[in-house]
Amino acid sequence: MTGHADGLAPETRAVVLGRPPRTPGSAVNPPVELTSTHVTPGDFADGVPIYGRYGNATWAALEEVLGGLEHGRAVTFASGMAAGTALFALVPRGARVVMGETSYNAMLALARELDAVGDLRLTLVDVADTDAVRAALPGADWLLLESPTNPLLEVADLPALIAAARDADVRVGVDNTFATPLLQNPLDLGADVVLHSATKYLAGHSDVLLGALVTTDDALHERLVDHRTLRGAIPGPFEAWLALRGVRTLGVRLARQQETAAELARRLAEHPAVARVRYPGLPDDAGHAVAARTMRGFGAMVAIEPVGGREAATAVTQRVRLWTPATSLGGVESLIERRRRIPSEPTTVPEALLRLSVGLEDVEDLWRDLDAALG
């Protein structure tokens, strides 16, 4: 994988950034800063910690890593949706937002809620249809993309769409949760803000809720910090420390998960009990050509639709023994979920669709469990 201005590969940046200064006897790892307030005699001074809602050294270490990975300045939040809410707060009241019709369900629900009360005007598009997205841009203020999408794994042509948005004077936000900074960097393409549910691949162990926004725009960065401070959407120091520890192994985790996902997708595509497999790494997948051209890998998420529809899909989640039937993704354990069991899931998601988050277990063990569950 390619490096950046400092010449370091992203896997190296994930390990070396956010460390304490190298002085004799100093700790290799940053500590968890557990304090609600700081000693501040005299007048307030910029950069001097004063209160826990304004800043925390453990957040700062994590933000150095995430900013370094996405080539911008990061702001961390209490959850992915706290970060998503802060992103929507950047949109002027009444502005028109173009957004993917199969975006993550909570982000889509929030956008529709904001549209219903007049805070924004929502235009939904198929992010995989580049011409349709381009056609929706005139008169828009923001373009919010997610690629690959959750859970349909549609792939947007980010270079083309971001360039079109810039030409139309439209701001761009990109949810990069599925791809991670190791597979694509939307800020390098001209996006204004990148969103991560750090709960997922970045933290990587299904033990923390955390979100992040990254930008190269100093004014946007200041607005995001102000939003977090005034609305109290701050991450806990221990959660930030767990995410910092988790991101150190992102490179090796994602490499193994991606390798296993590709092999499982290949086998599932040939399984008689599977009607459809969605994985950008498959040559006949609708998003393969764009992903091969614009990404540095195909990720570790797979979606399948078993023969027999909803009942068959539910049965698979009840039969698996190694895969865990649970929501969320990006952890070391493999998870499986029928997405339409969630009431807020868009109706564009098939009833039988199973989302598979591939973990670190042995590929043969995972395959035997899936094969048996599919019957």
Side-chain angles (χ1 to χ4, degrees):
M1 295 180 184
T2 59
H4 197 54
D6 57 11
L8 298 177
E11 296 89 343
T12 302
R13 294 163 75 86
V15 175
V16 304
L17 295 178
R19 299 282 186 183
R22 291 188 177 186
T23 57
S26 64
V28 171
N29 293 308
V32 184
E33 184 176 81
L34 296 174
T35 186
S36 62
T37 192
H38 299 262
V39 177
T40 49
D43 294 336
F44 178 82
D46 286 341
V48 177
I50 182 171
Y51 186 58
R53 184 162 43 83
Y54 296 170
N56 179 279
T58 315
W59 308 348
L62 176 60
E63 288 168 355
E64 181 181 328
V65 178
L66 301 187
L69 288 174
E70 284 289 15
H71 313 150
R73 299 177 68 192
V75 183
T76 50
F77 293 86
S79 68
M81 280 309 298
T85 301
L87 177 56
F88 276 118
L90 298 176
V91 178
R93 182 171 174 80
R96 190 162 74 85
V97 174
V98 177
M99 186 174 177
E101 61 188 0
T102 56
S103 301
Y104 172 56
N105 67 340
M107 283 291 284
L108 194 55
L110 178 57
R112 285 177 165 146
E113 179 182 296
L114 295 172
D115 178 74
V117 298
D119 283 348
L120 57 81
R121 293 173 293 129
L122 183 62
T123 299
L124 296 178
V125 293
D126 177 358
V127 297
D129 186 338
T130 302
D131 290 337
V133 179
R134 283 197 186 109
L137 291 176
D141 296 273
W142 276 83
L143 170 64
L144 299 183
L145 298 169
E146 178 185 3
S147 183
T149 62
N150 179 6
L152 296 182
L153 294 168
E154 297 166 316
V155 181
D157 190 337
L158 291 184
L161 294 181
I162 293 172
R166 305 304 292 184
D167 289 343
D169 197 25
V170 175
R171 294 272 206 175
V172 182
V174 180
D175 185 335
N176 204 27
T177 298
F178 269 26
T180 83
L182 301 192
L183 303 187
Q184 65 187 14
N185 298 108
L187 293 180
D188 289 354
L189 302 174
D192 295 279
V193 183
V194 165
L195 167 69
H196 281 283
S197 174
T199 303
K200 313 301 194 296
Y201 285 103
L202 298 181
H205 291 78
S206 303
D207 56 7
V208 60
L209 291 179
L210 203 87
L213 293 172
V214 191
T215 181
T216 56
D217 187 311
D218 289 342
L220 289 182
H221 181 268
E222 184 176 351
R223 289 178 61 188
L224 292 171
V225 171
D226 287 346
H227 174 96
R228 177 181 68 184
T229 302
L230 294 174
R231 289 162 178 80
I234 60 172
F238 187 62
E239 285 78 4
W241 186 85
L242 284 173
L244 181 61
R245 184 175 68 165
V247 78
R248 302 301 191 194
T249 60
L250 175 62
V252 291
R253 284 188 286 107
L254 185 60
R256 170 66 177 269
Q257 290 165 319
Q258 187 170 232
E259 179 183 10
T260 301
E263 178 60 20
L264 292 177
R266 184 189 67 79
R267 297 185 190 185
L268 287 164
E270 300 173 351
H271 199 289
V274 177
R276 180 173 180 178
V277 179
R278 301 169 189 255
Y279 181 67
L282 293 174
D284 60 351
D285 186 85
H288 177 74
V290 174
R293 174 168 51 82
T294 64
M295 298 174 64
R296 298 187 290 271
F298 301 110
M301 299 298 299
V302 181
I304 65 172
E305 296 168 46
V307 174
R310 171 179 174 168
E311 290 74 19
T314 299
V316 170
T317 66
Q318 295 169 339
R319 291 172 183 156
V320 286
R321 294 294 176 265
L322 187 58
W323 293 77
T324 300
T327 197
S328 199
L329 56 102
V332 296
E333 63 289 303
S334 292
L335 304 180
I336 186 169
E337 180 181 31
R338 189 180 74 83
R339 287 297 296 173
R340 283 292 296 278
R341 75 192 180 101
I342 298 175
S344 62
E345 192 72 4
T347 56
T348 50
V349 176
E351 284 279 3
L353 185 133
L354 293 172
R355 186 183 69 184
L356 279 61
S357 173
V358 178
L360 295 179
E361 304 91 343
D362 180 78
V363 63
E364 298 300 336
D365 290 334
L366 290 174
W367 173 248
R368 281 191 290 269
D369 192 38
L370 266 184
D371 184 37
L374 285 164

